[in-house]
Amino acid sequence: ANYVHCAKEHSMGAFRPYGYSALLSFIHSISSSIKMVGAIQFLLLAIATIFFTYTIKFFFTFHRRIIWHIFSLFSIVSIPSLYLAHSLLSDSLFCSLTIIWITTGIWILFTSNVLIVIGHLAVLYFALEVRYTALFYPLFTAGLIHLAFNRLLYKLVLICLCFFVSVYFYKSTISTNKRNFGISVFSGFSGWQLVCNALHVIPHTNIDTERSNDVLIKVFFEYIEKADKSLFGNEVSAKLMWAKDSPLKQYAYDKMKALNISYQQSWLLSGQEFAKVGSYIIKEHPSEFLKYYIIPNARNVLYPQKSMGLIGAKTQMRSDNLFNAYYGIKLGIDFSDGKFFTKLRPYFCIYNLLNWILFALAPILLFYNRKKITLKKEYVNTLLFIAAFALAYSTFIVFASPFEYRYVIPVNLLLLVFPLLIVNLTLFYPKSSEKIHGKQGN
């Protein structure tokens, strides 16, 4: 609902970047049908995926064409892509931008073209405007530039330009929050998320607030003591961020009343304070945080619980006045996820685990056949980029928030293409050394 509200008001909210709301606003200027949102989201994701698959085909010779055709079919018309397009969430747009960012990164490695770097940085900025998850992307962009360019001057200028884009986004977001809400903060969301993650240790240990000299921490734990203990379940969950009776929400509501400010202002201010509380809990109980949050969340990334499957816990969304006015959906109609996607949840648990198994086995296959093939530098760098980014992205998800399948869909293509490329390069390599080294194009 917040995305739609920001699109309707043409302004950034306190919770997330404005990028996805900007897309909703643009689509609404074409058509007020919510079905148009789904159609354009799928179109963008399909175009991004086609760009990726044909880039792989262009730079890597497929000696068995059927391998590439099967990969393309599963990539472009995939159930996760259909789900993302079906959702009124920023994940679909962010996934499209991430795929384009990865693809232009591969072009940088093979061509060392400055204009492609500029396009890559433009995509990076748009990705930052959609999801804060992209905040670690500049590190990979800098690495790509370092690998692709030989001249030191080019490296320094382009890497500086990369970090300028990131710093500009960071500073402009703070400036926007200051202008709109009177608070100089980049994001309140990170603080809310950090304390939500840290509070997974509550059912398993006692937090000694006396060890802290910060009054804020002692005040916050008064809310924890008064809270309904059933909110602190054994499963990894983000419900403490959203449940109206959670101690986090009660803290924010009381701050809003005490300071006579809006909920959005209270959200940002509370987020700053929650960051301190979350850091204190993790610092005091690192082993419990690892055992009850990090490890279970990492397990979910590899093999999601069946209750999560494709979409996580199903949330019923009924049309209210906002959706009625903006999209013409009749009041009270449930337009949340359909039964088709819900039934597929258990199968995607297995599918996700299978992807990771193949991803893990691929380097073993490459090592076993290392004496049979000689790869160009660009091939090696591309394989390293794909593998490293898939692992870094998944690790970021583990630490950042309780798992939902939609969060890892942007790396699904990488989990598929990495073992496919290694199988193609090792099992189906031709006899001539020229083809072993590879060529650009087919």
Side-chain angles (χ1 to χ4, degrees), residues 30-31 49 70 124 148 156 187-188 204-205 217 263 272 300 303-304 310 379 434:
I30 301 171
S31 171
T49 306
I70 292 173
L124 169 63
L156 291 176
S187 169
H204 311 285
T205 188
I217 292 173
Y263 179 71
Q272 287 180 306
N300 287 336
Y303 185 76
L310 182 61
Y379 278 32
E434 178 185 354

Side-chain angles (χ1 to χ4, degrees), residues 177-248:
N177 281 329
K178 176 66 175 178
R179 182 172 63 254
N180 292 348
F181 308 109
I183 302 169
S184 295
V185 60
F186 173 68
S187 169
F189 208 100
S190 57
W192 280 75
Q193 193 69 75
L194 182 64
V195 76
C196 175
N197 298 346
L199 288 174
H200 282 82
V201 309
I202 290 296
H204 311 285
T205 188
N206 293 319
I207 308 294
D208 185 6
T209 58
E210 296 302 321
R211 290 170 60 87
S212 172
N213 295 322
D214 195 332
V215 176
L216 163 66
I217 292 173
K218 297 177 181 179
V219 170
F220 176 78
F221 270 90
E222 293 177 4
Y223 285 82
I224 298 294
E225 292 173 3
K226 293 185 292 185
D228 181 359
K229 296 303 182 285
S230 65
L231 289 169
F232 304 93
N234 291 321
E235 293 185 355
V236 176
S237 168
K239 63 183 178 182
L240 285 174
M241 286 186 65
W242 307 115
K244 291 185 177 180
D245 55 345
S246 79
L248 279 68

Side-chain angles (χ1 to χ4, degrees), residues 56-231:
I56 293 297
K57 182 175 182 286
F58 182 75
F59 289 119
F60 290 83
T61 301
F62 279 83
H63 309 295
R64 298 291 187 274
R65 295 290 183 89
I66 188 64
I67 296 177
W68 180 81
H69 289 302
I70 292 173
F71 165 66
S72 299
L73 179 64
F74 275 92
S75 300
I76 297 167
V77 187
S78 66
I79 299 300
S81 298
L82 290 171
Y83 163 66
L84 288 187
H86 176 75
S87 305
L88 200 64
L89 296 165
S90 65
D91 298 87
S92 180
L93 178 59
F94 184 69
C95 185
S96 300
L97 291 169
T98 295
I99 292 171
I100 295 172
W101 176 83
I102 291 168
T103 309
T104 53
I106 294 172
W107 277 88
I108 290 171
L109 289 174
F110 276 91
T111 66
S112 303
N113 187 297
V114 174
L115 290 179
I116 293 176
V117 175
I118 301 302
H120 178 83
L121 292 177
V123 176
L124 169 63
Y125 182 80
F126 291 140
L128 288 167
E129 284 285 3
V130 175
R131 291 283 291 272
Y132 293 135
T133 304
L135 284 168
F136 76 92
Y137 287 16
L139 297 176
F140 277 88
T141 295
L144 292 172
I145 293 169
H146 173 71
L147 291 173
F149 291 89
N150 293 322
R151 294 181 61 180
L152 181 60
L153 180 62
Y154 275 43
K155 288 184 181 185
L156 291 176
V157 171
L158 292 174
I159 288 174
C160 287
L161 184 59
C162 166
F163 287 110
F164 171 79
V165 169
S166 308
V167 172
Y168 175 80
F169 169 75
Y170 180 81
K171 294 289 187 181
S172 63
T173 302
I174 293 176
S175 177
T176 301
N177 281 329
K178 176 66 175 178
R179 182 172 63 254
N180 292 348
F181 308 109
I183 302 169
S184 295
V185 60
F186 173 68
S187 169
F189 208 100
S190 57
W192 280 75
Q193 193 69 75
L194 182 64
V195 76
C196 175
N197 298 346
L199 288 174
H200 282 82
V201 309
I202 290 296
H204 311 285
T205 188
N206 293 319
I207 308 294
D208 185 6
T209 58
E210 296 302 321
R211 290 170 60 87
S212 172
N213 295 322
D214 195 332
V215 176
L216 163 66
I217 292 173
K218 297 177 181 179
V219 170
F220 176 78
F221 270 90
E222 293 177 4
Y223 285 82
I224 298 294
E225 292 173 3
K226 293 185 292 185
D228 181 359
K229 296 303 182 285
S230 65
L231 289 169

Side-chain angles (χ1 to χ4, degrees), residues 24 56 196 253 259-260 293 331 380:
L24 294 181
I56 293 297
C196 175
Y253 291 147
L259 300 179
N260 192 26
Y293 173 73
L331 291 173
V380 174

Side-chain angles (χ1 to χ4, degrees), residues 311-328:
I311 57 176
K314 181 178 182 291
T315 302
Q316 189 179 60
M317 292 186 65
R318 294 193 177 277
S319 176
D320 56 14
N321 291 329
L322 175 63
F323 287 95
N324 173 258
Y326 204 64
Y327 288 118

